[in-house]
Amino acid sequence: MRAKIAMGSALAMVIASPVWAKGRPEMKPIAIGSVAEWFASDDYPAEALRASRSGRVVVELGVGVDGKVTSCNVKVSSGTTLLDETTCRLAYERGKFDPATDKKGRPTAGSVIIPVRWALDEDSGPPPVALAAGKNDESWEIEVKLDEQGNTLSCKVIAKKARDESDPCARVKIGQFSGRRFTKDGYPVAVSVINRGSTEIIPAQ
């Protein structure tokens, strides 16, 4: 049994947010090390295991000027209170950040959003997808928000056409560096990245 952090996704069209006023941009808290290391299979609550409970929880963590987690707010519940509470408990115990900074570069309080997938062994592989005869077209569109440093803040599904319940945002690494950062007029800017994709599946003859 294990908990997973969502993996990364490709990025496409970029929409810039308004330019910062003169001075340094405000920065979000940045996790020290891998967020995935906060959660291990041994942390799976015994009661949830016995009840075969699993699910994905998304939490918003408040981070103090010392880089410690000060609050944990469940934004999307896993459907199991114990898993939600365990996610927050581990974040409090193990979460370490470089704190947010204001426009003068001074440490300040901030917040980040973290998704965690609690999965039982039997959940580790997705169920088979039932295909129709001939071509099976799938498509998706997601919006990924990045802060001024290029760190991923959130992922939202805008549109999806698929034959299963797969989440197009499941591979986006929330709270981690996306691999890209952007500037406008010489100043770092936060952006919204629109990613569109399509797939055609044809059963073998």
Side-chain angles (χ1 to χ4, degrees), residues 120-141:
L120 302 172
D121 284 342
E122 54 266 31
D123 295 336
S124 57
V129 178
L131 298 177
K135 296 180 181 180
N136 293 262
D137 296 324
E138 297 185 345
S139 61
W140 64 91
E141 181 176 352

Side-chain angles (χ1 to χ4, degrees), residues 57-175:
V57 54
V58 179
V59 296
E60 181 177 18
L61 304 179
V63 179
V65 295
D66 58 359
K68 295 181 180 179
V69 176
T70 58
S71 64
C72 180
N73 179 34
V74 176
K75 306 292 286 185
V76 179
S77 174
S78 65
T80 302
T81 300
L82 182 56
L83 294 179
D84 296 348
E85 292 176 345
T86 300
T87 300
C88 282
R89 176 178 61 80
L90 295 174
Y92 275 119
E93 292 177 357
R94 301 172 184 173
K96 295 181 180 179
F97 293 83
D98 289 327
T101 56
D102 61 19
K103 292 183 178 181
K104 293 185 178 180
R106 299 172 300 193
T108 186
S111 64
V112 293
I113 294 177
I114 301 293
V116 178
R117 168 69 177 172
W118 294 94
L120 302 172
D121 284 342
E122 54 266 31
D123 295 336
S124 57
V129 178
L131 298 177
K135 296 180 181 180
N136 293 262
D137 296 324
E138 297 185 345
S139 61
W140 64 91
E141 181 176 352
I142 61 175
E143 178 184 14
V144 179
K145 291 188 177 181
L146 309 179
D147 66 14
E148 299 78 17
Q149 295 173 300
N151 299 300
T152 305
L153 299 176
S154 64
C155 178
K156 179 177 69 173
V157 178
I158 300 174
K160 172 189 170 184
K161 175 187 175 183
R163 301 187 65 84
D164 61 8
E165 298 301 320
S166 59
D167 182 1
C169 285
R171 293 189 175 184
V172 177
K173 296 181 179 179
I174 305 297

